[in-house]
Amino acid sequence: MKCRHKKSTLALLALTLLPALAWANPPATRLQPGLWQFHYTSTVEMAGHAVPAMNQSAQQCIKDTDPAKLPLMPKLPSNIKCTAPTLQTSDKGYHVTMACTASEPNGMVTQLDEDFMIAPSDDGSQIRFDGTVHQRITGSPMPIPAALVKISAQGHRIGLCLAAKH
C-alpha cells in the first residue's frame, strides 16, 4: 500500500509541475480569452509496473491570451526549484525541456526531467500538452525505483468568464 501511495504522490508532483512549461515563449498563436476547461491524464510506470491512469480536470479564466502566461500553476513551494525551460518552436507548437528538484526536510530529493510538446490550435480555442517526466528519488530510507510519468493534457475554451463575486 505504501508503494502505491508513493506512486500516486509522484504522479501528483509531476502534474503540479506540468503547467510550469507554459512559462516558455509560444508560437504566434494567441488564445481566445474566456473560461477554459483543462483535463490532465497521467500514467506512472515504476519498476516495470504501471499505476492506473490518474485524471484531473480544472477550469480557469484566461484573460491574458499569451500561452506563455497561462495562469495554470500556483506558486511553487519553496522546496521545488526548476531550471528555466529550453524551447524549440515549430509550426505546430513548441518542444520544451526542463529539470526540477524537490528537496524534503527528511533528506529525500526528487529529480524531475521533463520533456513536452505544447500545441495551441490555429484559432486559439484549444491547447494540448503531451510529454514525459522521468523521476528519480534519492535519500529515501528504502530504495525507490525510478519512475516514468506520461502526461497528456488538453484545454479548450468553454465560454465567458464568470463575474467575480464580492
Side-chain angles (χ1 to χ4, degrees), residues 29-31 119-128:
T29 301
R30 307 296 287 180
L31 297 179
S121 65
D122 289 340
D123 68 356
S125 67
Q126 299 179 32
I127 192 165
R128 181 167 185 83

Side-chain angles (χ1 to χ4, degrees), residues 2-57:
K2 284 185 180 182
C3 186
R4 180 178 211 89
H5 175 71
K6 185 64 71 180
K7 291 176 190 175
S8 296
T9 301
L10 294 173
L12 287 174
L13 179 59
L15 280 174
T16 300
L17 296 175
L18 169 67
L21 299 175
W23 291 341
N25 294 324
T29 301
R30 307 296 287 180
L31 297 179
Q32 294 178 12
L35 185 62
W36 282 63
Q37 177 74 39
F38 294 94
H39 179 75
Y40 305 89
T41 300
S42 69
T43 57
V44 179
E45 295 175 13
M46 190 180 239
H49 301 287
V51 173
M54 293 177 31
N55 296 293
Q56 185 177 27
S57 293

